[in-house]
Amino acid sequence: MTAFALALPFSAATRRTVAAALLTAAAGLPFTTAQAQDGPQLNLQRVELTAGMHRIDAQVAATPQERQTGLMHRKEMPQHEGMLFVFEQPAQQCFWMKNTLLPLTAAFVDDDGTIVNLADMKPQTLDSHCSAKPVRYVLEMNQGWFAKKNIKAGAKLGGALFSRK
């Protein structure tokens, strides 16, 4: 098999999608673009974060499909777990709760781990909850987790992800 590089004026994600399409076509396999799945995604990569003395075991939603599905279809989530949405670059991020069964709180997080703002979100609604400024990260936890631990906007999350520059 010949290796190749795509030198196209597209984002890295778009280049990966095109490369995957080319590779699957070369192998004679069908290729379809990713869409949200029908069940919960439980096998994503995980990262350990901290909020003060509290440890968070977060699944990482880094691809467009993983972010689109998020915590949809989950019927329960342990209290110390959450999902960290990672975007390619800071932008105003807005979330809704279509097909999401759990009440959640979204923490919109700056590159250095500082929580910009928090938003409580009701299950199965289309209400939009947005970051107060451009952010690259959004951490979703069970609703009430941040409040019970007295973690507010301005608090800093820890983890290897936030110390990279």
Side-chain angles (χ1 to χ4, degrees):
M1 180 174 273
T2 305
F4 64 91
L6 293 174
L8 302 172
F10 300 117
S11 71
T14 301
R15 288 193 299 273
R16 284 191 300 271
T17 300
V18 171
L22 292 172
L23 289 173
T24 54
L29 301 171
F31 177 79
T32 59
T33 56
Q35 293 184 5
Q37 60 192 43
D38 292 332
Q41 51 187 1
L42 302 171
N43 297 315
L44 298 179
Q45 176 184 342
R46 292 180 178 267
V47 63
E48 185 173 315
L49 304 174
T50 58
M53 64 182 220
H54 306 285
R55 187 183 75 77
I56 301 165
D57 180 18
Q59 289 183 289
V60 178
T63 69
Q65 179 183 0
E66 292 167 351
R67 291 190 302 256
Q68 181 180 355
T69 303
L71 289 169
M72 286 181 178
H73 312 293
R74 293 276 303 257
K75 293 181 180 165
E76 60 185 9
M77 183 168 64
Q79 285 301 307
H80 70 285
E81 289 188 16
M83 182 170 285
L84 182 68
F85 295 79
V86 180
F87 296 88
E88 288 80 20
Q89 59 190 15
Q92 184 180 41
Q93 307 298 343
C94 293
F95 281 60
W96 62 1
M97 297 285 285
K98 182 179 180 182
N99 297 323
T100 305
L101 308 174
L102 302 170
L104 300 171
T105 299
F108 298 95
V109 183
D110 218 344
D111 281 355
D112 68 354
T114 302
I115 297 174
V116 172
N117 63 298
L118 296 163
D120 286 340
M121 304 184 296
K122 292 180 183 176
Q124 301 189 51
T125 62
L126 298 180
D127 300 339
S128 189
H129 305 277
C130 301
S131 59
K133 71 176 209 173
V135 297
R136 185 186 319 262
Y137 306 104
V138 180
L139 175 62
E140 288 184 341
M141 298 291 289
N142 284 305
Q143 193 170 99
W145 188 90
F146 293 100
K148 287 176 191 168
K149 308 225 179 322
N150 201 27
I151 298 168
K152 300 176 180 173
K156 207 163 191 179
L157 300 179
L161 194 64
F162 302 123
S163 50
R164 294 182 194 166
K165 286 292 170 194

